[in-house]
Amino acid sequence: MITNHFLGLLMLSILQPINALPVAPGNTVNLLGTSQEKDDGRILQRYKRGWMWNQFFLLEEYTGNDNQYVGKLHSNMDRGDGNVKYILTGEGVGSLFLIDENSGDIHATKRLDREERAIYTLHATVVDKRTNETLEADTEFNIKIHDINDNEPKFSKDLYFASVPEMSDVGTSVIQVTATDADDQTYGNSAKLVYSILQGQPYFSVDSDNGTIRTALPNMDRETKENYQVVIQAKDMAGQMGGLSGTTTVSITLSDENDSPPRFANHTFRLSTLESAEVGAAIGRIKANDADVGRNAEMQYSIVDRDGQDMFTIISDQNTQEGVIRVKKQLDYEKQRTYSFKVEVTNTYLDPRFMYSPNPPFKDDAMVRVTIEDVDEPPVFSRNPYIIEVHEDTAAGSFVGVVSARDPDADNNSVKYSIDRHTDLERLFNIDSVNGTITTLKGLDREMSKWHNISVVATEISNPRQTTRVPVFIKVLDVNDNAPEFAMYYETFVCENEKPEESTYLIQTISAVDTDEPLVGHKFVFSISSSNPNFTIVDNEDNTARILTRRAGFSRREMNTYLLPVVISDNDYPIQSSTSTLTVNVCACDSRGNMQSCNTEALLSAGLSTGALVAILLCVIILLMIVVLFAALRRQQRKKEPLIISKEDVRDNVVSYNDEGGGEEDTQAFDIGTLRNPEVMDANKLRRDIIPEMLFPFQRTSPIKDNADVREFIHGRLHENDSDPTAPPYDSLATYAYEGSGSLAESLSSLESGCVEGDQEYDYLSNWGPPFKKLADMYIGKDTARET
């Protein structure tokens, strides 16, 4: 091997033609220059770059202490006089690569890793140091990093998971694991890998070239061993000694196959249940074992014995894979006390590969023995329900029917009967408590009720808690005991003064109903008195009839209403008949026979009935009475009682209460004398209906002692009460009749006098003129006599 240092010392100069591109091996780049002389004596310089070798090689991971020598650049323009300068540019120049500008030697300053970068592209230029003129144009060359085996193989995962079906053939592929090596794949064996198995033999093997893991043993059983740990190694250098290696672990699980049949651990099961167990009730469980898991372990059970199939059924519990035995028919201890039958179990999903293996059949069976336990059962009726028929004309105490019940237990206890009176509230029936005979207590009417549903209770005499009830439906058969009658109320009219040629025409079609139900259906016969000169009847033979007129010239003046009796008979036995009345009104009609006007009854037939009209009139009358009463009450409320009813009725006290007054206790009135003579007012008098709120009542100021005007006095007292916060609100209103002070003679009443009569001066009466002369003489004379 030629080292870089030796190549750096090797320099070859080869002269070539102008258009040739010489390439020589070695780590020295020789730049060749040529010249040519022209005819005019001038020398033309032509420079041609000549590469002895356009690529440097450098080993990665250099471990020396000095810079690693890469190679040397040399130009033919370099005369050795030191005037040539070498310039290097490109990737990593200045940091990874340095050049001696005088000698052209290139060095690497750091350790290079090929896995980080395998090749560097650089550019070299030669210039004249004195003139800075380019002697050699830009030239490109590469520095390639040679690989060494410094990377071990690596797997993408440290742990792989895989599965393979159990019982697989030898060589069945499980999983492929692949390792990678960062070294150069094209240089030597540094990245050539070989796979081997370190752990997992003899169950599995691995392909040395591609890392595919395969089964190595036949019939590997999951039920024996389910999980395997396999360690795989990848080694470079084609597996030679000194190569690097990497490992990974593969966890392989054998997936389940339905290769194990279900098996009963115990081939005999004993169960017991009460005879009272309801149909569908579970009485026990049985279980078979299956070494498989999941879907392959699902089992289904079946009863293969005829004796068991009739009375029991078995289903599979999907959660526990148990067989649940249920009651199919009602059990009876007295009839059969034990049952034995065979139960078979198989897998729900079968794998044909294992059904014909040399193992026993792919199913199993077991015997199940069920013991029935006795319970005290209630009585049992011979039928359920009972349906009994009885005619409606049956008299009270007549026979209706018989019910029968017995004790199903071996003791066969006696039974007594009774009727649940909640189902026979009218007490129409009775039952004999010993033999169960049902009789009537009252007569039955089919038209009132066609069916009677009662409940009969049977009770064990020795154990009254054991009772059973049965419904008894009693159908009341019809007897022809009702006569037919009109299907509805019929009311029609005839036109008065019709033409003689129209004397016979249809005025009404009638039909009938009968509450009875004969076996062959209803057949009604309609008839009226043959002597009726006005109307006739025609039977339509379909339980309807037509009413026709027999004459013309009906007149409201003669008769405005005809009552036509119609006899209706049925055809059952005994024959029942009734008479219904058809009302025919005489009305005025137009030329087409349409009613225009009629008497009151006719109008009612066309519009409202008599009862409806009477009801409307009563409502109107009651409404008018309410309105009149309400108006009277309002008028009475608005009417006020006069202050003084009679002119001779002079009162000192006038009290008026409103509707919200103090009531009977508010009788403390105002004295008019107090208003005229304020000095005699009792200041401490309180209302009896008011509780004083203060220990010391408010003292009002005494009014002026002059005979002031009443209005001013009242206004003053009103202001005092309004400004008094302690004054309670009164519920009474005292109204005083004030007539003003318009009289020049002032008041003649003694009520206004503030002193005794002897203190009055009556001289002013003589000034009032002749009408008061007599009065003046009386009083003035009286004063004079008093003074004397």
Side-chain angles (χ1 to χ4, degrees), residues 493 495 588-597:
F493 69 94
C495 295
C589 303
D590 57 13
S591 59
R592 297 181 180 180
N594 298 323
M595 182 183 66
Q596 289 184 335
S597 63

Side-chain angles (χ1 to χ4, degrees), residues 389-436:
E389 295 180 348
V390 61
H391 286 88
E392 64 176 323
D393 60 350
T394 301
S398 300
F399 173 80
V400 175
V402 177
V403 297
S404 176
R406 66 175 183 85
D407 183 10
D409 297 322
D411 297 338
N412 195 16
N413 296 319
S414 299
V415 176
K416 65 178 181 179
Y417 305 92
S418 61
I419 295 178
D420 185 355
R421 290 303 174 186
H422 292 91
T423 62
D424 185 24
L425 298 177
E426 298 179 0
R427 301 186 69 85
L428 298 176
F429 304 96
N430 189 30
I431 190 170
D432 190 296
S433 62
V434 178
N435 56 29

Side-chain angles (χ1 to χ4, degrees), residues 170-323:
V170 175
T172 301
S173 176
V174 179
I175 190 175
Q176 182 180 11
V177 293
T178 304
T180 58
D181 195 323
D183 293 327
D184 191 356
Q185 301 286 338
T186 61
Y187 180 74
N189 295 327
S190 297
K192 186 175 182 180
L193 304 181
V194 174
Y195 297 92
S196 62
I197 183 169
L198 301 182
Q199 177 182 329
Q201 295 175 333
Y203 305 104
F204 300 95
S205 63
V206 64
D207 191 313
S208 60
D209 293 331
N210 54 30
T212 301
I213 302 175
R214 304 179 185 274
T215 58
L217 285 181
N219 300 326
M220 287 192 294
D221 191 2
R222 185 199 66 84
E223 288 73 32
T224 303
K225 185 176 181 180
E226 183 177 5
N227 296 313
Y228 297 86
Q229 298 291 327
V230 178
V231 178
I232 301 298
Q233 182 190 63
K235 189 174 183 181
D236 58 10
M237 298 299 293
Q240 299 176 5
M241 185 176 297
L244 303 178
S245 64
T247 61
T248 186
T249 302
V250 182
S251 178
I252 301 177
T253 302
L254 296 183
S255 60
D256 184 56
E257 296 290 321
N258 193 8
D259 60 335
S260 298
R263 290 287 180 264
F264 283 109
N266 185 3
H267 285 77
T268 301
F269 295 89
R270 297 182 181 274
L271 304 175
S272 64
T273 182
L274 297 175
E275 63 172 332
S276 60
E278 298 180 356
V279 174
I283 63 173
R285 292 170 175 256
I286 61 175
K287 176 69 182 297
N289 299 320
D290 193 329
D292 296 321
V293 294
R295 173 178 174 177
N296 297 324
E298 295 182 7
M299 293 174 284
Q300 58 184 7
Y301 299 84
S302 60
I303 299 175
V304 297
D305 196 317
R306 183 69 181 176
D307 186 23
Q309 288 178 347
D310 293 340
M311 301 302 297
F312 304 96
T313 182
I314 187 170
I315 62 173
S316 300
D317 189 331
Q318 298 300 324
N319 296 324
T320 62
Q321 297 302 319
E322 294 176 317

Side-chain angles (χ1 to χ4, degrees), residues 37-195:
E37 185 177 353
K38 295 187 66 176
D39 296 337
D40 56 3
R42 292 181 300 167
I43 297 175
L44 300 178
Q45 299 291 334
R46 296 186 64 186
Y47 301 96
K48 181 62 180 179
R49 290 170 295 169
W51 289 98
M52 300 306 294
W53 190 257
N54 66 344
Q55 185 167 260
F56 292 136
F57 294 93
L58 186 67
L59 286 176
E60 64 172 337
E61 305 294 344
Y62 173 71
T63 58
N65 295 326
D66 299 331
N67 293 340
Q68 185 179 7
Y69 182 75
V70 178
K72 183 180 182 64
L73 297 179
H74 180 74
S75 174
N76 293 337
M77 302 298 296
D78 187 358
R79 305 299 182 183
D81 53 3
N83 294 327
V84 175
K85 179 180 179 181
Y86 296 91
I87 299 175
L88 184 66
T89 59
E91 300 169 315
V93 175
S95 58
L96 293 179
F97 303 103
L98 298 178
I99 187 171
D100 189 331
E101 61 180 13
N102 296 319
S103 63
D105 293 331
I106 303 173
H107 291 81
T109 63
K110 297 180 181 179
R111 294 175 57 183
L112 300 179
D113 189 357
R114 190 201 66 83
E115 285 70 38
E116 293 182 2
R117 187 159 188 172
I119 189 168
Y120 295 87
T121 301
L122 303 179
H123 295 268
T125 305
V126 180
V127 297
D128 191 326
K129 290 183 179 180
R130 295 171 297 176
T131 62
N132 206 25
E133 179 184 358
T134 301
L135 301 178
E136 295 284 350
D138 182 75
T139 303
E140 179 180 287
F141 65 96
N142 297 327
I143 298 178
K144 186 175 181 181
I145 310 301
H146 269 306
D147 182 49
I148 63 173
N149 188 20
D150 58 344
N151 292 279
E152 71 275 4
K154 291 184 179 180
F155 290 93
S156 59
K157 296 180 182 179
D158 294 333
L159 179 63
Y160 291 85
F161 294 93
S163 65
V164 63
E166 63 174 332
M167 312 300 290
S168 296
D169 296 334
V170 175
T172 301
S173 176
V174 179
I175 190 175
Q176 182 180 11
V177 293
T178 304
T180 58
D181 195 323
D183 293 327
D184 191 356
Q185 301 286 338
T186 61
Y187 180 74
N189 295 327
S190 297
K192 186 175 182 180
L193 304 181
V194 174
Y195 297 92

Side-chain angles (χ1 to χ4, degrees), residues 378-536:
V380 177
F381 282 94
S382 59
R383 285 188 293 168
N384 188 1
Y386 286 87
I387 300 177
I388 303 174
E389 295 180 348
V390 61
H391 286 88
E392 64 176 323
D393 60 350
T394 301
S398 300
F399 173 80
V400 175
V402 177
V403 297
S404 176
R406 66 175 183 85
D407 183 10
D409 297 322
D411 297 338
N412 195 16
N413 296 319
S414 299
V415 176
K416 65 178 181 179
Y417 305 92
S418 61
I419 295 178
D420 185 355
R421 290 303 174 186
H422 292 91
T423 62
D424 185 24
L425 298 177
E426 298 179 0
R427 301 186 69 85
L428 298 176
F429 304 96
N430 189 30
I431 190 170
D432 190 296
S433 62
V434 178
N435 56 29
T437 301
I438 301 175
T439 57
T440 58
L441 292 175
K442 299 178 182 179
L444 304 178
D445 187 358
R446 192 200 67 86
E447 285 68 42
M448 294 295 295
S449 180
K450 298 180 181 180
W451 286 89
H452 296 278
N453 304 330
I454 64 174
S455 292
V456 175
V457 181
T459 306
E460 288 187 14
I461 296 178
S462 60
N463 187 4
R465 292 180 298 177
Q466 294 296 337
T467 61
T468 304
R469 62 179 58 234
V470 66
V472 179
F473 304 113
I474 301 175
K475 182 180 181 180
V476 182
L477 301 178
D478 182 46
V479 175
N480 191 27
D481 57 349
N482 293 279
E485 57 186 7
F486 276 163
M488 57 179 293
Y489 173 75
Y490 290 105
E491 188 172 5
T492 185
F493 69 94
V494 295
C495 295
E496 67 174 346
N497 301 324
E498 70 274 4
K499 299 177 181 180
E501 59 270 14
E502 299 177 354
S503 60
T504 300
Y505 60 91
L506 175 65
I507 62 172
Q508 183 67 48
T509 299
I510 60 175
S511 62
V513 294
D514 192 341
T515 56
D516 294 323
E517 292 182 357
L519 296 177
V520 295
H522 291 295
K523 177 60 179 177
F524 301 133
V525 177
F526 301 88
S527 64
I528 60 176
S529 176
S530 60
S531 61
N532 192 312
N534 300 312
F535 305 98
T536 184

